[in-house]
Amino acid sequence: MQVILREDVDKVGLRGEVVDVAAGFARNYLLPRRLAEPATAGRIGELEQLAASRSRHEAQTFEQAQELAQKLEGQELRFDVQAGETGTLFGSVTATDIADRVWQEQRVRLDRRKLDLPESIKWIGRYQVPVELFADVTATLRLAVVPEGGELPPEEELQALDQAAAEEEAAAAAEAEEARAAEAAATEAAVAEVEAEAEEPVPEDAFDRPMDSVESPADAASEPEPARE
């Protein structure tokens, strides 16, 4: 089933892309959560027109790419976000968010997939994100992810927050790994138990019952029927 993504979805695609997904996944997850919409011919046509319009604002030559790189690196992109006391975002800043902000502020189209952002940004702070503009031309975008209604704390405090965030992420990853290991061990033990039961030998006296104690069909047929009153 084809759908148009309304938001970036991990391992599925980026906002505005037309993707093929399982019908059940679309009906039960993407569509109810408004993460996607049906890919009608009209909507696909609108997206194609938008992409064609924006494509005129990206580098077409090496020289143009160099000029755009200077323009992009001369400005810091600010993102005002909702965040907790520890600096953790209530959401994230994605590659699509960055590309959209560059388009809104500088009218430069970036290929979101060429942003060197392995994971979405989930903490406040300053970031540098490289993006390939053309063959052999890369610009480094400077981002300030700032708590909504405030400013970034001093650099030392930011470093402490980064350290705490890294430790929190590492602890969560370790906990998830332990859970996976425990589940794997439980599954292995269950399989071993089933295999052991299947291989358990038959008791030696299982077939020691005297043959005359077993009633044959012929014997049963020759027995007189009980008298009826």
Side-chain angles (χ1 to χ4, degrees), residues 100-116:
D100 285 350
R101 183 61 57 83
V102 170
W103 172 256
Q104 293 166 5
E105 295 186 0
Q106 303 193 36
R107 279 297 184 266
V108 175
R109 180 186 181 276
L110 299 180
D111 185 339
R112 297 168 295 177
R113 296 190 178 280
K114 293 184 178 179
L115 283 161
D116 188 4

Side-chain angles (χ1 to χ4, degrees), residues 86 88 122-123 127 158-174:
T86 60
T88 303
K122 300 177 182 178
W123 293 277
Y127 297 86
L158 269 180
Q159 291 178 359
L161 289 174
D162 288 344
Q163 179 65 27
E167 292 174 357
E168 179 183 342
E169 188 173 12

Side-chain angles (χ1 to χ4, degrees), residues 33-137:
R33 294 171 182 262
R34 298 185 60 81
L35 297 174
E37 61 181 292
T40 64
R43 284 290 291 133
I44 292 176
E46 291 176 6
L47 292 174
E48 290 175 346
Q49 289 181 359
L50 178 61
S53 174
R54 289 191 176 186
S55 67
R56 295 194 293 270
H57 298 268
E58 62 183 354
Q60 304 294 332
T61 65
F62 180 82
E63 291 73 17
Q64 288 180 356
Q66 287 182 313
E67 293 178 3
L68 288 180
Q70 292 180 351
K71 178 179 179 180
L72 294 172
E73 292 178 347
Q75 180 178 347
E76 183 178 71
L77 299 174
R78 178 184 172 111
F79 292 84
D80 290 276
V81 297
Q82 293 184 338
E85 295 181 358
T86 60
T88 303
L89 274 57
F90 299 149
S92 63
V93 176
T94 68
T96 299
D97 295 328
I98 297 171
D100 285 350
R101 183 61 57 83
V102 170
W103 172 256
Q104 293 166 5
E105 295 186 0
Q106 303 193 36
R107 279 297 184 266
V108 175
R109 180 186 181 276
L110 299 180
D111 185 339
R112 297 168 295 177
R113 296 190 178 280
K114 293 184 178 179
L115 283 161
D116 188 4
L117 188 70
E119 294 183 348
S120 301
I121 296 173
K122 300 177 182 178
W123 293 277
I124 63 172
R126 285 190 167 84
Y127 297 86
Q128 293 188 347
V129 181
V131 57
E132 182 182 348
L133 301 177
F134 201 75
D136 299 324
V137 180

